Amino acid sequence: MDAIEQSIARLAVLIDADNAQPGLIAPLLAEVAKYGTAHVKRAYGDWTGAGLRGWKEQLLAQSIQPMQQFAYTTGKNATDAALIIDAMDLLYTNRFDGFCIVSSDSDFTRLASRIRESGLTVYGFGERKTPQSFVAACDKFVYTDNLSYDDPVAPAEATVVKPRTPTRSGQLKSDTALVTLLRDTVEATSGDDGWAHLAAVGQLLTKRQPDFDSRTYGYAKLTDLVTATTLFEVDRRLPGGGKPAVVYIRDQRRPTPERAS
């Protein structure tokens, strides 16, 4: 899905309020806007209890519809069941291009898989404790601690996340898993000369590892992360016609190709 298609994608945002911090909703919805337009925004929980008291301002400010679900039985998560039922109802309307599921609960693994089986895109949002099964079931998974913001007027119970300190070059190069992932992905998307379009690299990275995010390492963009590793050449090419520069990268271990004159 290219940038234009993403901007017009119709999304349903379903939030497990028992498993999400209200203070992160504003930056979360800003992240959702990168992938499409939220035509439905619903938050599920028992709004009669004291545990969700901090949500009221966010529900009003972000125009999120609260979905009441009483805890009928102790030890059973009725909220999860209500969210799943609503998600399937929305899926069958055929009005959406994708779903955003906000939770750190593995109970939504099968839901994400089922939505993807229908050809729709699933974006997951959750904490680092999110089980890998749910992460892998999504097309793209965003860890909420990567959604940095600092709101001086946020309510006391809101969670304020500071930007991560960028990981130093030496640490990045010693991260074998990261280096292998980047090099293999660049090789898979490169031409005969070894140069790979950065956008194609980013798309394949997400397909291979749904929770891959340059912000995890303290870098806002993939270009910044790749540059910081000092393991790749970066070439910004101007296509002309007033169009923005296109970024290509190449593994430095590749021999320098002969450039056509």
Side-chain angles (χ1 to χ4, degrees):
M1 187 180 293
D2 61 27
I4 296 177
E5 290 175 323
Q6 283 186 335
S7 66
I8 62 176
R10 297 164 297 180
L11 303 177
V13 181
L14 307 180
I15 304 168
D16 177 5
D18 295 331
N19 247 294
Q21 294 291 335
L24 283 170
I25 295 305
L28 186 147
L29 291 177
E31 181 76 10
V32 168
K34 296 180 181 179
Y35 310 119
T37 302
H39 284 245
V40 167
K41 292 182 287 185
R42 298 179 183 177
Y44 297 78
D46 184 357
W47 303 102
T48 63
L52 300 180
R53 206 167 13 187
W55 276 88
K56 182 177 180 181
E57 291 186 16
Q58 293 298 328
L59 294 175
L60 294 173
Q62 304 299 335
S63 189
I64 299 172
Q65 182 180 4
M67 307 298 289
Q68 173 62 30
Q69 183 58 50
F70 293 101
Y72 296 115
T73 307
T74 303
K76 299 292 184 180
N77 199 333
T79 298
D80 290 4
L83 191 156
I84 291 170
I85 292 171
D86 269 12
M88 295 308 296
D89 286 343
L90 292 171
L91 174 65
Y92 292 140
T93 66
N94 295 317
R95 294 190 293 114
F96 298 93
D97 302 300
F99 282 72
C100 299
I101 303 174
V102 184
S103 180
S104 305
D105 198 330
S106 63
D107 289 351
F108 298 109
T109 300
R110 181 63 187 121
L111 173 63
S113 299
R114 177 64 183 84
I115 294 172
R116 291 182 69 187
E117 288 171 3
S118 295
L120 277 65
T121 304
V122 178
Y123 302 98
F125 298 83
E127 300 176 8
R128 294 278 168 185
K129 65 181 182 181
T130 305
Q132 185 59 33
S133 59
F134 180 35
V135 173
C138 300
D139 290 282
K140 171 73 176 176
F141 194 90
V142 178
Y143 291 114
T144 52
D145 61 353
N146 283 332
L147 304 178
S148 306
Y149 81 109
D150 188 358
D151 186 355
V153 297
E157 58 270 22
T159 300
V160 178
V161 181
K162 301 289 185 179
R164 286 174 174 268
T165 301
T167 305
R168 295 184 177 181
S169 175
Q171 292 175 288
L172 292 174
K173 288 194 289 187
S174 63
D175 188 334
T176 306
L178 172 64
V179 171
T180 300
L181 178 64
L182 289 176
R183 280 178 165 163
D184 287 352
T185 306
V186 169
E187 180 63 28
T189 54
S190 66
D192 293 338
D193 57 0
W195 288 100
H197 194 306
L198 187 66
V201 173
Q203 290 173 359
L204 185 55
L205 280 171
T206 299
K207 289 180 180 178
R208 289 183 169 182
Q209 191 172 311
D211 60 346
F212 180 84
D213 195 329
S214 60
R215 292 171 296 187
T216 297
Y217 305 92
Y219 295 92
K221 296 181 178 181
L222 179 58
T223 312
D224 300 329
L225 173 62
V226 168
T227 301
T229 66
T230 68
L231 298 173
F232 301 89
E233 295 179 62
V234 179
D235 186 14
R236 291 174 172 80
R237 305 176 185 177
L238 292 173
K243 297 180 180 180
V246 178
V247 180
Y248 285 80
I249 62 175
R250 190 169 74 96
D251 192 333
Q252 288 189 353
R253 299 178 305 175
R254 277 262 196 159
T256 304
E258 292 293 332
R259 297 206 175 192
S261 56

